[in-house]
Amino acid sequence: MLKQLGLSENDERVYWSLLTDPDLGVADLATELVLTEGEVRLALEHLGELTLLRSSRDTPGRLRPVSPEYGLRILLAHQEAELEERRREIAASRVSVQQMVEQYSDLRRKNTQLEIEQIAGLDAVQARMEEIIHDAQTDCRSAVPGGPVAQEVLTAARPLDEALFHRGIHQRVLYQEAVRASPHTVEYGRWMIDNGAEVRTFPVLPPRMLIVDSSTALVPSAPDAPALGAVCVRAPGIVSALIALFEQTWQLATPLAEPDAPDSSGGLSPTERALLSMLARGMTDEAAAKRLGVSLRTVRRRMDELMARLNAHSRFEAGLKAGKRGWLE
């Protein structure tokens, strides 16, 4: 009951026993309270520090309990004084925090005057991305190449997306077609759609990008080496070019809520058409797999299926027959 005033359970039990019978000694208290004599002595020592016990004037060497009306009120007054001091410290800290925030805002305003800002390191990129998203006013466009997104990445992204939904920021997201085979990525995409976002898929995406309010873009410094960092771009010409690239892909992409419909070229899916085009240009299976965000095994399986449909005995023959049918871009 008196824990908030600094008394342990043993302290409180010893104190109330002494209030009941001030003449109890250490051995008596230990017996009555089922404690060791060491525990009783620790409690007595602590009660003395809290000024709830004081030396007897009648019996030197004895300790007598201070009345609760006096002793506990003193403790309560000490607690209130500490609380008031803590309030003053918090108020001072609040002022310091506000000053730091203002200084950081000034620094950011100076930095935002740069049209191209190089950001080194994954942690710095994450922090910059959060700042850009926090400053969003109207819309966000994002292209997310690389196939299915890891569950931990989606989990980390959810708070940012929820904040955007809460503020009414319109989101458009491009995933690769390969994510349709990833249940957790599809589930996340549908959750975004349910919250007002638009989500589409396309076999081959432009490099990863985030474009906010048509004025700020974040792109990797090197698409194949994310650890190298990113570039934050505000130069209108570059941002406009990135928007055009995004919009071009967006118009060709398929809404996630719709099935991956075949195109008009012999019933090919967009992914199959893209695969044929890549291999016809001399791209290796490994490079095609990386570009499509799928495994090497998937590329080879799909190519075998296409060769069977074309009744071709080699990839060269398959390329010739696909070209004659108008299957190649």
Side-chain angles (χ1 to χ4, degrees):
M1 184 172 64
L2 301 178
K3 183 178 180 180
Q4 298 303 321
L5 294 178
L7 276 74
S8 69
E9 182 180 351
N10 285 351
D11 295 341
E12 186 174 346
R13 293 174 65 198
V14 169
Y15 178 56
W16 288 113
S17 292
L18 288 174
L19 286 172
T20 303
D21 186 352
D23 293 323
L24 291 174
V26 172
D28 300 325
L29 288 167
T31 302
E32 179 177 311
L33 300 175
V34 193
L35 297 173
T36 66
E37 292 189 8
E39 290 173 327
V40 171
R41 288 192 177 92
L42 283 175
L44 292 172
E45 181 179 349
H46 193 212
L47 289 168
E49 293 172 354
L50 295 174
T51 67
L52 290 176
L53 294 181
R54 61 188 172 196
S55 298
S56 172
R57 294 184 177 181
D58 296 323
T59 309
R62 280 275 189 178
L63 293 174
R64 289 288 182 265
V66 175
S67 70
E69 182 178 9
Y70 174 72
L72 294 181
R73 285 184 177 178
I74 289 178
L75 284 182
L76 187 59
H78 287 165
Q79 291 282 331
E80 291 172 342
E82 290 177 2
L83 181 59
E84 185 59 33
E85 178 63 24
R86 183 61 180 151
R87 286 193 182 120
R88 285 194 292 269
E89 291 174 355
I90 292 173
S93 297
R94 185 177 290 112
V95 172
S96 298
V97 168
Q98 183 61 32
Q99 291 174 345
M100 184 175 292
V101 168
E102 291 173 357
Q103 291 171 0
Y104 182 62
S105 296
D106 291 341
L107 179 62
R108 281 185 55 195
R109 279 192 290 272
K110 291 178 183 177
N111 288 338
T112 54
Q113 295 174 359
L114 300 174
E115 291 192 334
I116 298 179
E117 174 189 357
Q118 182 69 47
I119 306 166
L122 296 177
D123 291 337
V125 171
Q126 177 69 24
R128 197 73 187 91
M129 180 181 69
E130 291 171 355
E131 291 171 353
I132 292 171
I133 290 175
H134 180 269
D135 291 340
Q137 298 296 316
T138 57
D139 63 273
C140 287
R141 301 175 176 94
S142 54
V144 188
V149 184
Q151 181 66 64
E152 57 269 23
V153 174
L154 296 177
T155 300
R158 185 178 287 262
L160 290 175
D161 288 327
E162 286 178 336
L164 289 174
F165 295 142
H166 180 71
R167 291 163 48 210
I169 307 300
H170 182 230
Q171 290 195 73
R172 286 194 289 163
V173 183
L174 277 171
Y175 286 123
Q176 283 198 273
E177 203 72 54
V179 306
R180 292 179 179 268
S182 170
H184 67 267
T185 308
V186 171
E187 180 183 0
Y188 191 85
R190 288 175 177 164
W191 169 76
M192 293 192 71
I193 293 170
D194 290 341
N195 282 277
E198 295 182 81
V199 181
R200 296 187 180 185
T201 64
F202 195 67
V204 181
L205 294 187
R208 184 179 300 272
M209 66 176 73
L210 170 69
I211 306 172
V212 174
D213 297 340
S214 299
S215 61
T216 303
L218 191 68
V219 296
S221 298
D224 295 329
L228 293 180
V231 178
C232 183
V233 181
R234 296 179 191 82
I238 299 176
V239 175
S240 295
L242 291 171
I243 290 173
L245 180 59
F246 179 94
E247 293 296 336
Q248 182 181 41
T249 308
W250 182 263
Q251 294 303 319
L252 298 172
T254 303
L256 182 65
E258 298 177 10
D260 180 10
D263 67 13
S264 59
S265 301
L268 290 178
S269 71
T271 300
E272 290 171 333
R273 185 177 179 84
L275 174 59
L276 276 173
S277 179
M278 290 177 192
L279 297 181
R281 294 197 299 267
M283 189 175 289
T284 64
D285 289 356
E286 289 82 358
K290 186 174 182 180
R291 195 84 172 84
L292 292 169
V294 298
S295 67
L296 177 60
R297 184 176 181 179
T298 297
V299 163
R300 289 174 175 168
R301 175 178 56 78
R302 289 187 174 179
M303 196 60 208
D304 288 343
E305 292 171 353
L306 288 169
M307 288 175 62
R309 288 171 62 183
L310 289 164
N311 194 25
H313 300 287
S314 68
R315 291 194 174 190
F316 178 75
E317 183 182 0
L320 290 176
K321 289 186 174 182
K324 289 180 180 179
R325 294 189 186 190
W327 286 10
L328 299 179
E329 297 176 346

